[in-house]
Amino acid sequence: MSPMMDDTAPAPQYSEGALIPNIDQKGDNPITIRLTDRERDSGLTDPATLQQLLYAYHRDGFVVLDNAIPDELTDKLYDRIVADTDIYIGKSFQQWNQGEATKNVSVVPPLSRDWLMREFYANVHMMRVIEHLLGPQPELRFLNSNVALPGATGRQAVHSDVNHAFPPIPFGIVVNTYLQDSGPENGVTEIWCGSHDAYGRDEQQVQKESGWIRKECIQAQAKVRKPVQPRVRKGSMLFRDLRLWHAGMPNRGEKARVMLAIDYFAAWYKCPMRLKLPSSAKSKVESWGISTVGIEWVDGEIDHLDQPFFLNMTQDPEMYIKQTPKGVEDWRARATGKYEFDKGIPSDQNWWTPE
């Protein structure tokens, strides 16, 4: 999937031996780069586009790629996931992310062959970025969505998705694709650019069992770069290092805010998490040219709304967490029978307060 330039691309220009990127780029915290319609429709990523995406990601641990998916596809998947959410929140194992006040829930998208669309899960432009960051044959191991429902009265704590002894280099990337125009008014995620390598794991986290960030680190990092809620258009892909601080924010709008969460891991990392997909989709997914070693093929169709949330971003197969009717089960619950995961109630000690 190496990047190519077609004959209609602008002639490159240089300054002191360096390429001057001729791209549609805006913002600095974070950087948003817009694909041209020519790039999107041809599947050919200009080298200048790729260079700037990689630069922003390494600097910030985060970058936005705009105009990645046609509107008609995002609208179709948005409507389906919103309808599915009404069913999912009635499941006995369903848990709100960091408490009911957030009205934030993870909902597995439809997993049938027709709904597994390459544009979302192995987008050619997306894969070029991921391959250059994680190395050859990055592994698809997690496929989910995050829904922020209207009526939230609370927000999430600033946190990182990983709280284990992770390596100090990029090893996993989550791609959040927004299925509607989003901003602060409807709960776009709060992002802390540059936080992915600002502090060591033990220094930054409240406790080893939680990815929540210490108040003193939050206040100090805000003096370097303040948190932001970027405004993104539907069809945008947000590349986020798994180490990056972020927080789900309340949706003050009238409609659900939906974003996909697609996780790829470096092949050398050997993540033990497995993604279940129907065997009927195997040939289609394999035609995408991605690594499928993290996929378990299942006979028959999969009821995606009957799949309790399951996660393991560590390198240890026994460190998984999963939803149950008793609560979120982690290694402590399996050892003691006490379901204590994510029971904290976020307060102003868990997010930035201007001094």
Side-chain angles (χ1 to χ4, degrees):
M1 293 186 183
S2 60
M4 301 173 62
M5 181 182 290
D6 66 12
D7 294 336
T8 64
Q13 299 185 35
Y14 308 93
S15 174
E16 299 183 28
L19 176 71
I20 302 174
N22 183 14
I23 60 174
D24 185 356
Q25 176 175 315
K26 65 180 181 181
D28 185 60
N29 187 39
I31 288 175
T32 295
I33 295 171
R34 181 177 175 82
L35 285 174
T36 64
D37 290 346
R38 170 184 56 79
E39 287 178 289
R40 185 196 65 199
D41 297 339
S42 69
L44 304 175
T45 317
D46 287 346
T49 301
L50 183 59
Q51 174 178 310
Q52 289 304 97
L53 286 164
L54 297 175
Y55 156 71
Y57 186 91
H58 281 295
R59 188 193 74 167
D60 300 339
F62 185 83
V63 67
V64 179
L65 180 61
D66 189 14
N67 196 35
I69 303 173
D71 287 355
E72 58 269 21
L73 293 183
T74 61
D75 292 343
K76 178 181 179 180
L77 188 54
Y78 174 86
D79 290 341
R80 174 62 188 269
I81 292 178
V82 169
D84 284 348
T85 300
D86 291 337
I87 300 171
Y88 184 76
I89 59 177
K91 298 289 184 179
S92 62
F93 54 74
Q94 185 271 324
Q95 305 285 328
W96 299 102
N97 296 321
Q98 295 194 19
E100 187 172 357
T102 66
K103 292 294 183 183
N104 187 290
V105 65
S106 297
V107 181
V108 178
L111 300 177
S112 64
R113 187 181 189 281
D114 290 344
W115 283 100
L116 287 170
M117 292 177 273
R118 180 174 187 169
E119 289 85 353
F120 294 105
Y121 306 123
N123 184 286
V124 292
H125 304 287
M126 175 183 86
M127 293 311 301
R128 288 194 182 109
V129 175
I130 291 175
E131 286 176 342
H132 280 79
L133 292 170
L134 298 181
Q137 292 296 296
E139 299 168 357
L140 175 63
R141 290 188 175 269
F142 183 79
L143 191 160
N144 213 307
S145 77
N146 178 273
V147 182
L149 294 171
T153 57
R155 55 161 288 169
Q156 288 186 348
V158 177
H159 66 282
S160 167
D161 281 346
V162 288
N163 63 307
H164 64 285
F166 50 78
I169 55 176
F171 62 92
I173 295 172
V174 56
V175 181
N176 290 136
T177 299
Y178 279 82
L179 303 186
Q180 69 293 300
D181 295 348
S182 297
E185 64 279 356
N186 67 340
V188 77
T189 305
E190 178 183 275
I191 296 295
W192 288 73
C193 288
S195 63
H196 61 302
D197 60 1
Y199 298 86
R201 171 235 186 174
D202 292 338
E203 179 185 4
Q204 72 179 5
Q205 293 180 341
V206 172
Q207 57 181 354
K208 289 185 178 180
E209 291 78 21
S210 169
W212 292 20
I213 307 301
R214 296 180 186 273
K215 178 69 171 183
E216 56 267 32
C217 293
I218 291 173
Q219 295 300 109
Q221 183 64 18
K223 295 177 181 178
V224 180
R225 296 179 76 177
K226 289 183 173 61
V228 292
Q229 286 184 268
R231 189 168 296 281
V232 296
R233 191 182 182 281
K234 64 181 176 182
S236 295
M237 290 185 156
L238 284 57
F239 296 81
R240 173 167 58 82
D241 192 295
L242 287 175
R243 299 168 292 165
L244 192 82
W245 303 357
H246 61 287
M249 300 298 283
N251 180 357
R252 310 294 190 190
E254 298 179 353
K255 297 182 178 180
R257 189 276 293 141
V258 182
M259 68 178 184
L260 298 178
I262 314 303
D263 288 14
Y264 277 87
F265 289 85
W268 55 261
Y269 183 72
K270 300 301 178 186
C271 177
M273 183 165 52
R274 302 274 285 175
L275 168 64
K276 293 182 179 181
L277 293 180
S279 297
S280 59
K282 184 177 181 180
S283 61
K284 180 178 184 179
V285 173
E286 288 179 339
S287 73
W288 297 346
I290 65 171
S291 172
T292 60
V293 298
I295 298 175
E296 177 183 348
W297 302 107
V298 179
D299 291 337
E301 293 303 311
I302 296 175
D303 184 350
H304 59 290
L305 298 182
D306 202 33
Q307 306 299 309
F309 185 79
F310 182 95
L311 191 69
N312 187 358
M313 295 183 178
T314 78
Q315 293 175 298
D316 183 348
E318 300 304 317
M319 290 294 287
Y320 65 88
I321 64 173
K322 67 178 182 179
Q323 288 177 326
T324 76
K326 293 182 179 180
V328 178
E329 176 189 303
D330 64 358
W331 67 271
R332 294 172 299 171
R334 290 188 286 276
T336 67
K338 297 180 180 180
Y339 288 72
E340 300 175 345
F341 182 85
D342 213 7
K343 288 292 182 66
I345 300 175
S347 72
D348 61 6
Q349 292 303 299
N350 305 117
W351 56 74
W352 175 55
T353 50
E355 299 175 348

